[in-house]
Amino acid sequence: MSDMMDDMDEGGEGVVKKFMFVNRKAPHGTIYALEGLEVVLISAAFDQDVSMVFVDDGVYELIKGVNTKGIEVKDFSKTYRALEGYDIEKLYVEKASMDARGLTEDDLIVDVTVLDSAEMANLMAEQDVVISY
Amino acid sequence: MLHIVNKSATERNSLESALRMATKGSAVLLIEDAVYAATQGSVAAAKIQSAMADVQIYALGPDLDARGMSARVLDGVKVVDYGGFVDLVTEHNSCQSWL
Amino acid sequence: MPMVEVAGKSFEVDEEGYLTNLNDWNQDIAVYLAQEEKVEMTENHWDVVNFLREYYDEYQIAPAVRVLTKAVAKKLGPEKGNNKYLYELFPYGPAKQACKIAGLPKPTGCI
């Protein structure tokens, strides 16, 4: 995949809205995780206030130490590390989801902010647009 | 019988159903997103551990690798490759895929 | 899929001439793909093409132009990390042409 937009980011002054992308699926069993990531990368061209959150099995998308050679698919866990270059720096994970899977921040491939469920709920309530995968 | 499960136990109930129907001496093979259940610290691990008294649990190695989970596999779970997957299918009289 | 023969080796490409398999890429096919795009490869072109391959290897995507420009500026200096410079090297779009020459997958998800 890619996202070649030559001029998208040179448009006029638009209204900045708060967009949240909610990731709830494990990475390879379904296409949701990859599709969601592609949409986020495309949305970066619109200069909106983007947050990505990872809850439930979505936290598995960020695991370190992935090797996809055996299943012959692209290792898109590396692509989460490109988000910073796209100025998408607000990444949040829910603590309860991490705990239920025996995971800590050290297991993740990118820097994230860990929120408890109430904090996550508040962040969600603040958004103009929430898109869920 | 060989029971094959491919859905995450923290998203669907396929693993629970498979384990409920797996009789003593049968085998359960975890593939795709089901492999997460066989990892340390998962809430699903307890289900696997109690099932291991009666059934042998297998997990597909390439699916563990692709999910960064190879180093976290529970003791007692046997990791197999694609060849091992085929062997399991041929060794058992029948297979049930819990889609 | 169409095949092209370059320097004694066959390469599979898609209908638009993009290399099908990233790992088939070498300098010969890059020069061929550049010729198809009417681009004559200079050291400056290679810098960008090699940069794109490194970026893809690290992140598994081809960068958006804005991201490419910023990243090139960081790596090769501000005199190269700007739209004007990159468009001079690749007049039909640095992303599109340079990615094709670098053997990266065809950009999808474009609007």
Side-chain angles (χ1 to χ4, degrees), chain A residues 1-3 5 19-23 32-54 61 79-80 82-91 131-133, chain C residues 61 64 66-67 109 111:
Chain A
M1 69 141 253
S2 170
D3 40 288
M5 285 155 293
F19 277 74
M20 174 184 278
F21 293 91
V22 182
N23 297 274
Y32 289 101
L34 177 57
E35 292 283 316
L37 179 57
E38 292 197 4
V39 170
V40 168
L41 289 167
I42 291 166
S43 76
F46 297 99
D47 288 326
Q48 300 295 305
D49 179 2
V50 172
S51 304
M52 274 184 98
V53 310
F54 299 85
E61 294 175 26
T79 308
Y80 294 98
L83 289 168
E84 198 182 353
Y86 283 74
D87 299 321
I88 294 168
E89 290 167 326
K90 297 179 182 175
L91 307 183
I131 297 168
S132 190
Y133 293 94
Chain C
I61 49 165
R66 179 172 65 111
V67 177
I111 307 172

Side-chain angles (χ1 to χ4, degrees), chain A residues 2 4 6 9 42 44 79 85-86, chain C residues 59 64-66 70 95 108-110:
Chain A
S2 170
M4 297 298 160
D6 289 354
D9 52 336
I42 291 166
T79 308
Y86 283 74
Chain C
Y59 300 118
V65 176
R66 179 172 65 111
K70 208 165 65 176
T108 56
C110 270

Side-chain angles (χ1 to χ4, degrees), chain A residues 1 27-28 34 37 60-82 109, chain B residues 65-68, chain C residues 22 55-61:
Chain A
M1 69 141 253
H28 302 295
L34 177 57
L37 179 57
Y60 284 136
E61 294 175 26
L62 301 179
I63 291 291
K64 262 183 203 164
V66 163
N67 178 356
T68 56
K69 281 214 174 63
I71 64 167
E72 296 180 10
V73 301
K74 188 159 78 174
D75 173 11
F76 62 89
S77 72
K78 291 176 171 178
T79 308
Y80 294 98
R81 294 177 46 241
I109 196 164
Chain B
D65 292 342
R67 289 162 180 77
Chain C
L22 185 69
Y55 186 97
Y56 191 91
D57 187 52
E58 190 166 351
Y59 300 118
Q60 301 294 298
I61 49 165

Side-chain angles (χ1 to χ4, degrees), chain C residues 82-99:
Chain C
N82 62 72
N83 272 338
K84 185 171 174 288
Y85 175 82
L86 292 171
Y87 271 92
E88 273 165 16
L89 292 178
F90 303 100
Y92 288 93
K96 204 170 177 221
Q97 286 190 307
C99 283

